[in-house]
Amino acid sequence: MSGLRIPLEGPDGAGTEHALNLLAPNPSPMTLDGTNTWVVGLGEEVLVVDPGPDDEAHLARVAAHLRDRRVTAILLTHGHHDHSGGARAFAELTGAPVRALDPRHRLGDEGLGDGDVVGVGDLELRVLGTPGHSADSLCFWLPADRAVLTGDTVLGRGTTVIAPDGDLADYLRSLDRLRATAEQVGAEALLPGHGPVLPDPIGALDGYIAHRRRRLDQIRAAREGGAATPAEIVAIVYADVDRSLRPAAEMSVRAQLDYLGDA
Ligand SMILES: [Zn+2]
């Protein structure tokens, strides 16, 4: 691939030839270094994927980076607040519409969904419906850079959680689909919604799929051992997880119990 950028000091400024990450200043155990805001395109027109939280300084920084380049659309990988919270303010700043799968997050007439192709200059982004982390999760394939923008479906570090509006069966199908797509198109990078760029898409996706299967096995075993409630299962299966992440782990266990047909 041409132009893969992976800065040593963190995700800010990372990307590929036509996609640049401007990191939002909202780090936390759940958002890792913060939300990645992706600027796609090098010409006079660009797309902005996930403006991030409603943070005036961050949005101003993104706008300043663009100078007089025109934002033709703001795209959302999904509606979670750390990705979409700044969309309305950024739309006001740039005059661009907001396109998302969930109509509640749109501004303007155009939606966004599986199979859509969004052009900008000579580039195109192909939309992949990848529900699971949330019901409205999308990924964007950027053929010019052999890269996939993955939102929270695949993170640059650790693993993602199934949010209350997500579904584990959908998520496993989406991971399988992403893996098949990555293999078919020869993807060379994943550009996540949080954390660093992943230069080995197949390896990363295989790791995610194996991790999910392992956790499901562990949860089955914990239940066979007598653990009944999500909290009891978390205490066993996620014993090594930091206390601040326990609520996320419990959310994840609930999603897995749903999947196992025993919520
Ligand atoms: Zn999310």
Side-chain angles (χ1 to χ4, degrees), residues 78 80-83 133-134 137 152 160 163 194:
H78 64 303
H80 286 166
H81 193 74
D82 55 321
H83 298 257
H133 164 72
S134 65
S137 283
D152 284 0
T160 198
H194 304 278

Side-chain angles (χ1 to χ4, degrees), residues 153-240:
T153 299
V154 179
L155 303 180
R157 235 190 358 261
T159 58
T160 198
V161 299
I162 310 301
D165 59 331
D167 179 271
L168 181 57
D170 286 345
Y171 185 64
L172 291 170
R173 273 193 293 276
S174 291
L175 289 180
D176 285 342
R177 182 183 183 200
L178 271 181
R179 195 203 183 280
T181 304
E183 191 160 56
Q184 190 192 345
V185 301
E188 294 176 4
L190 300 182
L191 311 180
H194 304 278
V197 168
L198 294 166
D200 175 14
I202 299 286
L205 287 162
D206 279 345
Y208 261 60
I209 292 164
H211 171 80
R212 283 291 157 194
R213 304 254 170 244
R214 209 158 48 232
R215 282 293 194 219
L216 282 168
D217 287 345
Q218 288 171 334
I219 286 172
R220 281 194 196 96
R223 282 170 59 212
E224 280 161 22
T229 67
E232 284 167 2
I233 292 172
V234 166
I236 296 168
V237 175
Y238 293 83
D240 55 336

Side-chain angles (χ1 to χ4, degrees), residues 74-78 98-103 106 109-118 125-131 135-141 177:
I74 298 160
L75 309 184
L76 299 181
T77 58
H78 64 303
V98 180
R99 298 183 61 180
L101 179 63
D102 185 340
R106 294 175 192 161
D109 302 329
E110 284 188 294
L112 198 63
D114 186 53
D116 284 352
V117 178
V118 183
L125 277 185
R126 296 176 170 270
V127 181
L128 303 166
T130 51
D136 66 341
S137 283
L138 302 172
C139 291
F140 305 123
W141 160 237
R177 182 183 183 200

